Amino acid sequence: MLYLLRLEWKKIRKLTSFRLFSVCYLVLLPAILLTGLRFDELPPPINSNEVFFMFPTVWQYLGYIGNWLCFFFFGFLSIVVVTTEHSYRTMRQNIITGLSRQQYFLSKFYLIVVVSLLAALYYALCGFAIGYLNTEAIYWHKVWQHADYIPRYFLMCFGYMSFGLFLGFMIRRTGIALFLYLAYIMFIELILRWGVHLQIVEHRSMHFYPMNAVEDLVALPFLEMADEFTSKYGFSIYLQPWEASITVLVYSALFLYLAYWRVTRSDL
Protein backbone atom coordinates (compact mmCIF):
# COMPACT_ATOMS: atom_id res chain seq x y z
CA MET A 1 0.00 0.00 0.00
CA LEU A 2 2.72 2.47 0.97
CA TYR A 3 4.69 1.61 -2.16
CA LEU A 4 1.68 2.32 -4.36
CA LEU A 5 0.96 5.59 -2.53
CA ARG A 6 4.57 6.71 -2.93
CA LEU A 7 4.34 5.91 -6.63
CA GLU A 8 1.14 7.98 -6.94
CA TRP A 9 2.72 10.86 -5.04
CA LYS A 10 5.67 10.94 -7.43
CA LYS A 11 3.25 11.16 -10.35
CA ILE A 12 0.90 13.85 -9.01
CA ARG A 13 3.18 16.11 -6.97
CA LYS A 14 4.27 18.03 -10.07
CA LEU A 15 0.82 17.95 -11.67
CA THR A 16 -0.39 21.54 -12.05
CA SER A 17 -4.04 20.65 -11.52
CA PHE A 18 -3.21 18.82 -8.26
CA ARG A 19 -1.35 21.84 -6.90
CA LEU A 20 -4.04 24.26 -8.03
CA PHE A 21 -6.96 22.25 -6.65
CA SER A 22 -5.19 21.61 -3.35
CA VAL A 23 -4.30 25.25 -2.77
CA CYS A 24 -7.77 26.44 -3.74
CA TYR A 25 -9.39 23.98 -1.33
CA LEU A 26 -7.07 24.91 1.54
CA VAL A 27 -7.67 28.63 1.06
CA LEU A 28 -11.33 28.70 0.11
CA LEU A 29 -12.76 26.34 2.74
CA PRO A 30 -12.22 28.72 5.68
CA ALA A 31 -12.16 31.91 3.58
CA ILE A 32 -15.67 31.57 2.15
CA LEU A 33 -17.18 31.02 5.58
CA LEU A 34 -15.18 33.84 7.16
CA THR A 35 -16.54 36.36 4.65
CA GLY A 36 -19.65 36.32 6.85
CA LEU A 37 -17.69 38.35 9.40
CA ARG A 38 -18.16 41.36 7.14
CA PHE A 39 -21.92 41.37 7.77
CA ASP A 40 -23.51 42.41 11.04
CA GLU A 41 -26.88 40.92 10.24
CA LEU A 42 -28.25 38.65 7.54
CA PRO A 43 -31.79 38.27 6.18
CA PRO A 44 -34.11 35.41 7.20
CA PRO A 45 -33.92 32.50 7.67
CA ILE A 46 -30.46 33.13 9.15
CA ASN A 47 -30.88 36.63 10.67
CA SER A 48 -27.49 36.60 12.42
CA ASN A 49 -24.12 35.69 10.98
CA GLU A 50 -23.01 34.33 14.35
CA VAL A 51 -24.46 30.91 13.57
CA PHE A 52 -21.87 30.50 10.84
CA PHE A 53 -19.00 30.44 13.30
CA MET A 54 -20.32 29.11 16.62
CA PHE A 55 -20.46 25.58 17.91
CA PRO A 56 -22.32 23.43 16.99
CA THR A 57 -23.68 25.03 13.78
CA VAL A 58 -20.21 25.79 12.38
CA TRP A 59 -19.98 22.11 11.37
CA GLN A 60 -23.08 22.42 9.20
CA TYR A 61 -22.24 25.64 7.37
CA LEU A 62 -18.55 24.84 6.91
CA GLY A 63 -19.51 21.36 5.71
CA TYR A 64 -21.94 22.74 3.14
CA ILE A 65 -19.21 25.00 1.74
CA GLY A 66 -16.85 22.01 1.66
CA ASN A 67 -19.50 20.01 -0.19
CA TRP A 68 -19.26 22.39 -3.15
CA LEU A 69 -15.46 22.55 -3.01
CA CYS A 70 -15.04 18.75 -2.90
CA PHE A 71 -17.55 18.35 -5.71
CA PHE A 72 -15.54 20.66 -7.91
CA PHE A 73 -11.87 20.30 -6.94
CA PHE A 74 -11.55 16.68 -5.83
CA GLY A 75 -14.09 15.29 -8.27
CA PHE A 76 -12.12 16.96 -11.05
CA LEU A 77 -8.83 15.74 -9.58
CA SER A 78 -9.94 12.09 -9.58
CA ILE A 79 -10.76 12.41 -13.28
CA VAL A 80 -7.57 14.23 -14.23
CA VAL A 81 -5.18 11.80 -12.50
CA VAL A 82 -6.67 8.97 -14.57
CA THR A 83 -7.17 10.62 -17.95
CA THR A 84 -3.77 12.32 -17.87
CA GLU A 85 -2.10 8.93 -17.49
CA HIS A 86 -4.02 7.59 -20.47
CA SER A 87 -3.01 10.62 -22.53
CA TYR A 88 0.69 10.21 -21.70
CA ARG A 89 0.61 6.39 -21.72
CA THR A 90 1.73 6.29 -18.08
CA MET A 91 -0.61 3.38 -17.33
CA ARG A 92 0.98 1.35 -20.11
CA GLN A 93 4.45 2.22 -18.85
CA ASN A 94 3.60 1.24 -15.27
CA ILE A 95 2.23 -2.15 -16.30
CA ILE A 96 5.10 -2.88 -18.68
CA THR A 97 7.62 -2.09 -15.94
CA GLY A 98 6.08 -4.43 -13.38
CA LEU A 99 2.77 -3.25 -11.93
CA SER A 100 -0.20 -5.55 -12.34
CA ARG A 101 -3.52 -4.08 -13.44
CA GLN A 102 -4.88 -4.76 -9.97
CA GLN A 103 -2.01 -2.83 -8.38
CA TYR A 104 -2.51 0.02 -10.80
CA PHE A 105 -6.19 0.26 -9.86
CA LEU A 106 -5.40 -0.05 -6.15
CA SER A 107 -2.96 2.85 -6.40
CA LYS A 108 -5.81 5.07 -7.61
CA PHE A 109 -8.17 3.69 -4.96
CA TYR A 110 -5.66 4.38 -2.19
CA LEU A 111 -5.15 7.88 -3.57
CA ILE A 112 -8.81 8.87 -3.35
CA VAL A 113 -9.06 7.37 0.15
CA VAL A 114 -6.07 9.40 1.36
CA VAL A 115 -7.23 12.61 -0.33
CA SER A 116 -10.71 12.18 1.17
CA LEU A 117 -9.22 11.54 4.60
CA LEU A 118 -6.95 14.60 4.41
CA ALA A 119 -9.84 16.77 3.21
CA ALA A 120 -11.96 15.63 6.16
CA LEU A 121 -9.13 16.23 8.64
CA TYR A 122 -8.64 19.75 7.30
CA TYR A 123 -12.38 20.35 7.56
CA ALA A 124 -12.27 19.19 11.19
CA LEU A 125 -9.29 21.44 11.92
CA CYS A 126 -11.00 24.48 10.38
CA GLY A 127 -14.25 23.69 12.20
CA PHE A 128 -12.53 23.42 15.58
CA ALA A 129 -10.48 26.58 15.03
CA ILE A 130 -13.35 28.76 13.77
CA GLY A 131 -15.76 27.48 16.40
CA TYR A 132 -13.27 27.91 19.25
CA LEU A 133 -12.42 31.48 18.27
CA ASN A 134 -16.03 32.58 17.82
CA THR A 135 -17.93 30.78 20.59
CA GLU A 136 -18.06 32.71 23.86
CA ALA A 137 -18.75 29.77 26.17
CA ILE A 138 -17.18 26.47 25.15
CA TYR A 139 -19.16 23.42 26.24
CA TRP A 140 -17.86 20.09 25.00
CA HIS A 141 -21.30 18.68 24.36
CA LYS A 142 -21.89 21.62 22.00
CA VAL A 143 -18.52 21.18 20.32
CA TRP A 144 -19.23 17.53 19.57
CA GLN A 145 -22.96 17.85 18.93
CA HIS A 146 -22.54 17.72 15.15
CA ALA A 147 -19.12 16.07 15.05
CA ASP A 148 -20.69 13.22 13.08
CA TYR A 149 -20.29 15.60 10.14
CA ILE A 150 -16.57 14.72 10.08
CA PRO A 151 -16.94 11.05 8.96
CA ARG A 152 -19.87 12.08 6.75
CA TYR A 153 -17.61 14.69 5.15
CA PHE A 154 -15.02 12.01 4.42
CA LEU A 155 -17.65 9.80 2.83
CA MET A 156 -19.00 12.74 0.81
CA CYS A 157 -15.56 13.49 -0.64
CA PHE A 158 -14.98 9.78 -1.30
CA GLY A 159 -18.33 9.57 -3.12
CA TYR A 160 -17.45 12.42 -5.49
CA MET A 161 -14.00 10.99 -6.16
CA SER A 162 -15.32 7.46 -6.76
CA PHE A 163 -17.69 8.81 -9.38
CA GLY A 164 -14.88 10.83 -10.94
CA LEU A 165 -12.58 7.81 -10.97
CA PHE A 166 -15.30 5.76 -12.67
CA LEU A 167 -15.77 8.38 -15.41
CA GLY A 168 -12.02 8.78 -15.85
CA PHE A 169 -11.49 5.08 -16.50
CA MET A 170 -14.59 4.74 -18.66
CA ILE A 171 -14.14 7.83 -20.85
CA ARG A 172 -10.34 8.31 -20.78
CA ARG A 173 -10.56 11.75 -22.37
CA THR A 174 -10.23 14.61 -19.90
CA GLY A 175 -12.55 17.15 -21.53
CA ILE A 176 -15.39 14.71 -22.20
CA ALA A 177 -15.13 13.11 -18.74
CA LEU A 178 -15.16 16.49 -16.98
CA PHE A 179 -18.14 17.61 -19.06
CA LEU A 180 -20.10 14.45 -18.25
CA TYR A 181 -19.21 14.77 -14.56
CA LEU A 182 -20.57 18.32 -14.41
CA ALA A 183 -23.53 17.60 -16.67
CA TYR A 184 -24.69 14.58 -14.70
CA ILE A 185 -24.43 16.18 -11.26
CA MET A 186 -25.79 19.59 -12.18
CA PHE A 187 -28.39 18.72 -14.83
CA ILE A 188 -29.00 15.08 -15.78
CA GLU A 189 -29.67 13.73 -12.32
CA LEU A 190 -31.82 16.74 -11.43
CA ILE A 191 -33.91 16.18 -14.57
CA LEU A 192 -34.36 12.53 -13.68
CA ARG A 193 -35.30 13.31 -10.08
CA TRP A 194 -37.55 16.33 -10.57
CA GLY A 195 -38.64 16.33 -14.19
CA VAL A 196 -39.39 12.63 -14.48
CA HIS A 197 -39.32 10.73 -11.21
CA LEU A 198 -41.22 13.16 -8.98
CA GLN A 199 -43.89 13.82 -11.59
CA ILE A 200 -44.60 10.12 -11.98
CA VAL A 201 -44.57 8.71 -8.46
CA GLU A 202 -44.05 11.59 -5.98
CA HIS A 203 -42.19 9.24 -3.66
CA ARG A 204 -39.09 9.69 -1.49
CA SER A 205 -37.28 7.12 -3.62
CA MET A 206 -36.39 10.14 -5.79
CA HIS A 207 -33.70 10.92 -3.21
CA PHE A 208 -31.82 7.64 -3.67
CA TYR A 209 -29.88 8.79 -6.70
CA PRO A 210 -26.08 8.58 -6.35
CA MET A 211 -25.04 12.21 -6.32
CA ASN A 212 -28.09 13.37 -4.39
CA ALA A 213 -27.17 10.89 -1.65
CA VAL A 214 -23.62 12.27 -1.65
CA GLU A 215 -24.95 15.83 -1.29
CA ASP A 216 -27.33 14.81 1.50
CA LEU A 217 -24.41 13.65 3.64
CA VAL A 218 -23.60 17.32 4.27
CA ALA A 219 -26.78 19.03 3.17
CA LEU A 220 -27.96 22.64 2.96
CA PRO A 221 -28.64 23.59 6.61
CA PHE A 222 -31.79 25.68 6.06
CA LEU A 223 -34.48 23.71 7.85
CA GLU A 224 -37.29 26.06 6.81
CA MET A 225 -36.93 25.00 3.19
CA ALA A 226 -36.97 21.34 4.24
CA ASP A 227 -40.15 21.87 6.27
CA GLU A 228 -41.85 23.54 3.29
CA PHE A 229 -40.97 20.59 1.04
CA THR A 230 -42.27 18.11 3.62
CA SER A 231 -45.60 19.91 3.94
CA LYS A 232 -46.03 19.95 0.16
CA TYR A 233 -45.00 16.40 -0.77
CA GLY A 234 -45.37 14.49 2.50
CA PHE A 235 -41.73 13.40 2.79
CA SER A 236 -38.45 15.11 3.67
CA ILE A 237 -36.27 16.81 1.08
CA TYR A 238 -33.20 15.10 2.58
CA LEU A 239 -32.21 11.54 3.27
CA GLN A 240 -31.45 10.62 6.85
CA PRO A 241 -27.66 10.55 7.48
CA TRP A 242 -27.62 6.76 7.83
CA GLU A 243 -29.67 6.37 4.63
CA ALA A 244 -27.34 8.68 2.72
CA SER A 245 -24.26 6.91 4.11
CA ILE A 246 -25.43 3.44 3.08
CA THR A 247 -26.56 4.69 -0.33
CA VAL A 248 -23.20 6.37 -0.99
CA LEU A 249 -21.28 3.28 0.08
CA VAL A 250 -23.33 1.09 -2.28
CA TYR A 251 -22.95 3.42 -5.26
CA SER A 252 -19.25 4.01 -4.56
CA ALA A 253 -18.66 0.26 -4.48
CA LEU A 254 -20.50 -0.05 -7.79
CA PHE A 255 -18.49 2.78 -9.40
CA LEU A 256 -15.21 1.28 -8.19
CA TYR A 257 -16.16 -2.20 -9.36
CA LEU A 258 -16.99 -0.91 -12.84
CA ALA A 259 -13.76 1.09 -12.91
CA TYR A 260 -11.80 -2.02 -11.89
CA TRP A 261 -13.59 -4.05 -14.55
CA ARG A 262 -12.58 -1.44 -17.12
CA VAL A 263 -8.94 -1.48 -16.01
CA THR A 264 -8.65 -5.27 -16.18
CA ARG A 265 -10.16 -5.49 -19.67
CA SER A 266 -9.02 -2.34 -21.43
CA ASP A 267 -6.29 -2.13 -24.03
CA LEU A 268 -3.02 -0.56 -23.01
Side-chain angles (χ1 to χ4, degrees):
M1 176 180 174
L2 292 178
Y3 168 73
L4 295 176
L5 284 174
R6 284 196 297 267
L7 182 62
E8 282 301 305
W9 172 245
K10 290 179 181 179
K11 288 190 285 186
I12 69 172
R13 64 184 178 181
K14 295 183 180 180
L15 195 64
T16 302
S17 56
F18 170 72
R19 293 181 176 183
L20 178 63
F21 294 159
S22 299
V23 170
C24 287
Y25 174 77
L26 293 174
V27 173
L28 292 177
L29 182 62
I32 293 175
L33 184 69
L34 292 174
T35 55
L37 290 172
R38 299 177 55 188
F39 303 97
D40 295 327
E41 187 172 331
L42 296 175
I46 307 175
N47 294 324
S48 173
N49 69 347
E50 293 181 356
V51 297
F52 286 158
F53 318 110
M54 296 171 56
F55 289 124
T57 50
V58 63
W59 296 115
Q60 297 171 286
Y61 290 98
L62 185 66
Y64 182 66
I65 292 169
N67 194 328
W68 281 95
L69 297 180
C70 290
F71 149 67
F72 187 81
F73 294 125
F74 296 133
F76 274 30
L77 178 64
S78 62
I79 292 173
V80 170
V81 295
V82 173
T83 57
T84 300
E85 293 202 22
H86 280 290
S87 298
Y88 291 101
R89 299 290 190 269
T90 311
M91 175 183 175
R92 179 179 182 180
Q93 183 67 30
N94 287 161
I95 293 176
I96 290 175
T97 54
L99 280 186
S100 67
R101 293 180 184 238
Q102 181 183 28
Q103 287 176 314
Y104 179 81
F105 173 79
L106 284 175
S107 68
K108 297 294 184 278
F109 171 73
Y110 294 149
L111 175 65
I112 67 172
V113 170
V114 170
V115 171
S116 300
L117 180 60
L118 293 176
L121 290 176
Y122 184 67
Y123 159 74
L125 177 64
C126 291
F128 278 120
I130 295 172
Y132 180 79
L133 294 173
N134 292 279
T135 306
E136 293 184 1
I138 304 294
Y139 299 101
W140 284 109
H141 71 280
K142 289 291 186 182
V143 173
W144 295 102
Q145 183 174 335
H146 292 309
D148 62 308
Y149 271 68
I150 298 173
R152 284 158 56 185
Y153 192 95
F154 162 80
L155 190 56
M156 175 265 297
C157 187
F158 182 75
Y160 283 128
M161 296 195 76
S162 298
F163 184 54
L165 202 70
F166 161 72
L167 289 178
F169 279 119
M170 288 295 180
I171 307 300
R172 295 187 177 186
R173 295 181 180 273
T174 305
I176 298 175
L178 291 176
F179 173 78
L180 287 176
Y181 176 81
L182 284 175
Y184 179 80
I185 296 177
M186 300 189 71
F187 302 108
I188 297 174
E189 187 169 283
L190 288 175
I191 292 172
L192 292 174
R193 293 179 60 234
W194 295 88
V196 178
H197 191 86
L198 183 60
Q199 298 299 323
I200 296 174
V201 294
E202 292 188 8
H203 189 268
R204 69 187 304 267
S205 57
M206 66 174 289
H207 297 324
F208 289 90
Y209 283 73
M211 294 299 102
N212 180 71
V214 173
E215 293 171 7
D216 281 0
L217 286 168
V218 188
L220 181 69
F222 295 153
L223 298 180
E224 289 79 1
M225 185 181 70
D227 292 340
E228 181 180 347
F229 185 94
T230 302
S231 64
K232 182 176 181 180
Y233 293 105
F235 54 91
S236 174
I237 194 174
Y238 301 132
L239 292 173
Q240 294 295 319
W242 68 269
E243 292 177 318
S245 298
I246 293 174
T247 304
V248 171
L249 285 172
V250 170
Y251 278 117
S252 295
L254 176 61
F255 292 145
L256 292 172
Y257 171 77
L258 292 174
Y260 177 73
W261 177 85
R262 176 68 166 167
V263 170
T264 57
R265 287 163 175 78
S266 62
D267 295 330
L268 297 179

mmCIF file of all heavy atoms in Angstrom, residues 27 140 147 150 171 234 236:
data_model
loop_
_atom_site.group_PDB
_atom_site.id
_atom_site.type_symbol
_atom_site.label_atom_id
_atom_site.label_comp_id
_atom_site.label_asym_id
_atom_site.label_seq_id
_atom_site.Cartn_x
_atom_site.Cartn_y
_atom_site.Cartn_z
ATOM 1 N N VAL A 27 -7.404 27.204 0.843
ATOM 2 C CA VAL A 27 -7.668 28.627 1.058
ATOM 3 C C VAL A 27 -9.165 28.909 1.145
ATOM 4 O O VAL A 27 -9.634 29.631 2.036
ATOM 5 C CB VAL A 27 -7.028 29.466 -0.072
ATOM 6 C CG1 VAL A 27 -7.454 30.938 0.042
ATOM 7 C CG2 VAL A 27 -5.513 29.352 -0.015
ATOM 8 N N TRP A 140 -18.272 21.195 25.848
ATOM 9 C CA TRP A 140 -17.858 20.090 24.997
ATOM 10 C C TRP A 140 -19.023 19.365 24.346
ATOM 11 O O TRP A 140 -18.896 18.842 23.240
ATOM 12 C CB TRP A 140 -16.987 19.117 25.794
ATOM 13 C CG TRP A 140 -15.613 19.652 26.003
ATOM 14 C CD1 TRP A 140 -15.058 20.094 27.163
ATOM 15 C CD2 TRP A 140 -14.608 19.853 24.982
ATOM 16 N NE1 TRP A 140 -13.780 20.567 26.948
ATOM 17 C CE2 TRP A 140 -13.477 20.428 25.624
ATOM 18 C CE3 TRP A 140 -14.555 19.613 23.615
ATOM 19 C CZ2 TRP A 140 -12.313 20.740 24.935
ATOM 20 C CZ3 TRP A 140 -13.398 19.937 22.923
ATOM 21 C CH2 TRP A 140 -12.300 20.489 23.577
ATOM 22 N N ALA A 147 -20.408 16.598 15.488
ATOM 23 C CA ALA A 147 -19.116 16.073 15.050
ATOM 24 C C ALA A 147 -19.258 14.876 14.122
ATOM 25 O O ALA A 147 -18.297 14.467 13.468
ATOM 26 C CB ALA A 147 -18.261 15.699 16.256
ATOM 27 N N ILE A 150 -17.949 14.987 10.514
ATOM 28 C CA ILE A 150 -16.573 14.717 10.080
ATOM 29 C C ILE A 150 -16.492 13.416 9.285
ATOM 30 O O ILE A 150 -15.999 13.424 8.148
ATOM 31 C CB ILE A 150 -15.613 14.707 11.282
ATOM 32 C CG1 ILE A 150 -15.612 16.079 11.958
ATOM 33 C CG2 ILE A 150 -14.193 14.354 10.824
ATOM 34 C CD1 ILE A 150 -14.822 16.135 13.254
ATOM 35 N N ILE A 171 -14.196 6.889 -19.718
ATOM 36 C CA ILE A 171 -14.145 7.834 -20.853
ATOM 37 C C ILE A 171 -12.728 8.011 -21.375
ATOM 38 O O ILE A 171 -12.503 8.070 -22.592
ATOM 39 C CB ILE A 171 -14.738 9.198 -20.439
ATOM 40 C CG1 ILE A 171 -16.130 9.021 -19.832
ATOM 41 C CG2 ILE A 171 -14.783 10.130 -21.649
ATOM 42 C CD1 ILE A 171 -17.142 8.387 -20.748
ATOM 43 N N GLY A 234 -45.135 15.537 1.512
ATOM 44 C CA GLY A 234 -45.365 14.494 2.500
ATOM 45 C C GLY A 234 -44.142 13.691 2.879
ATOM 46 O O GLY A 234 -44.245 12.716 3.617
ATOM 47 N N SER A 236 -39.540 14.147 3.498
ATOM 48 C CA SER A 236 -38.449 15.108 3.670
ATOM 49 C C SER A 236 -37.675 15.318 2.378
ATOM 50 O O SER A 236 -37.591 14.431 1.521
ATOM 51 C CB SER A 236 -37.503 14.620 4.770
ATOM 52 O OG SER A 236 -36.372 15.470 4.867
#
